[in-house]
Amino acid sequence: MRHTFRTLIATGAAAAAVLSGTAAHAATIPDFKQPKVFGTTFQADPGHDFTKGIHSRRDGILRGWITSVRGRVAEYEPIRWKRDKHTEGYFVGPPEGDVRAYASPVASGVRYLSAYGCTSAAGGLTVDRRTGLGAKRCSRSTLIKRVKNEKRPALITVYRGEIVQVQEIFTP
């Protein structure tokens, strides 16, 4: 009886460890290397075959902007910082005719970190002054509404083929 009880406890503890590990793994996003926020070149995506139609980027963080949303799927492209003689500069996408574009579903639990607050009325700036990146968490619906109105520079995190985080880049 005592041996059976020990076996039962050990088996239950092992099952609990496996289940909690699985849940923790699903809830976490790997710590991907962040690109330069104001990088002056387009980020490469080695191994991505753009001739096979528009599809998800590999897992990681892309400096880019979402160009359209249809249903659950967002199309996005890389951006780069272009210096200007009369201003600090601005972000630009690939030139016309360039095929560097991706499409991924927006995760239902996407983490959207806005640089401009969650409401358009009196949101104010919500920027991490050290990094220039959005710090205010807003809803998925706010993200979808905003990107439909204009392209917003951001760090877009893709994990397992889905957009799991969008962190806006503040531009004056």
Side-chain angles (χ1 to χ4, degrees):
M1 175 82 171
R2 192 174 256 175
H3 176 70
T4 306
F5 186 67
R6 283 186 192 154
T7 304
L8 185 60
I9 289 174
T11 305
V18 168
L19 289 174
S20 66
T22 304
H25 177 71
T28 60
I29 301 168
D31 191 18
F32 295 117
K33 185 178 189 284
Q34 181 177 308
K36 286 184 178 180
V37 175
F38 292 95
T40 56
T41 59
F42 293 115
Q43 288 173 256
D45 191 8
H48 190 90
D49 188 354
F50 290 101
T51 64
K52 292 185 177 180
I54 189 166
H55 58 281
S56 187
R57 185 178 194 280
R58 66 183 160 81
D59 289 355
I61 302 173
L62 174 73
R63 179 185 55 252
W65 51 34
I66 296 174
T67 56
S68 69
V69 178
R70 276 184 247 124
R72 250 189 97 222
V73 177
E75 289 186 17
Y76 52 103
E77 64 185 17
I79 58 174
R80 69 179 181 86
W81 185 251
K82 183 172 183 175
R83 293 190 173 101
D84 188 37
K85 189 165 56 172
H86 304 289
T87 66
E88 293 178 43
Y90 51 95
F91 283 106
V92 295
E96 187 70 32
D98 192 306
V99 295
R100 279 181 281 196
Y102 309 96
S104 301
V106 178
S108 59
V110 67
R111 186 173 178 208
Y112 171 45
L113 299 169
S114 173
Y116 304 96
C118 296
T119 60
S120 58
L125 292 179
T126 54
V127 178
D128 179 327
R129 294 183 191 275
R130 186 179 49 82
T131 63
L133 297 171
K136 174 74 174 170
R137 185 155 186 185
C138 301
S139 69
R140 180 182 190 276
S141 60
T142 301
L143 167 65
I144 301 299
K145 186 172 79 177
R146 288 207 179 149
V147 298
K148 281 186 177 181
N149 294 331
E150 67 179 286
K151 296 177 188 175
R152 293 179 175 264
L155 296 182
I156 302 168
T157 304
V158 176
Y159 181 53
R160 295 182 177 168
E162 288 189 319
I163 297 173
V164 294
Q165 179 171 296
V166 176
Q167 189 170 19
E168 283 184 333
I169 301 171
F170 173 72
T171 54

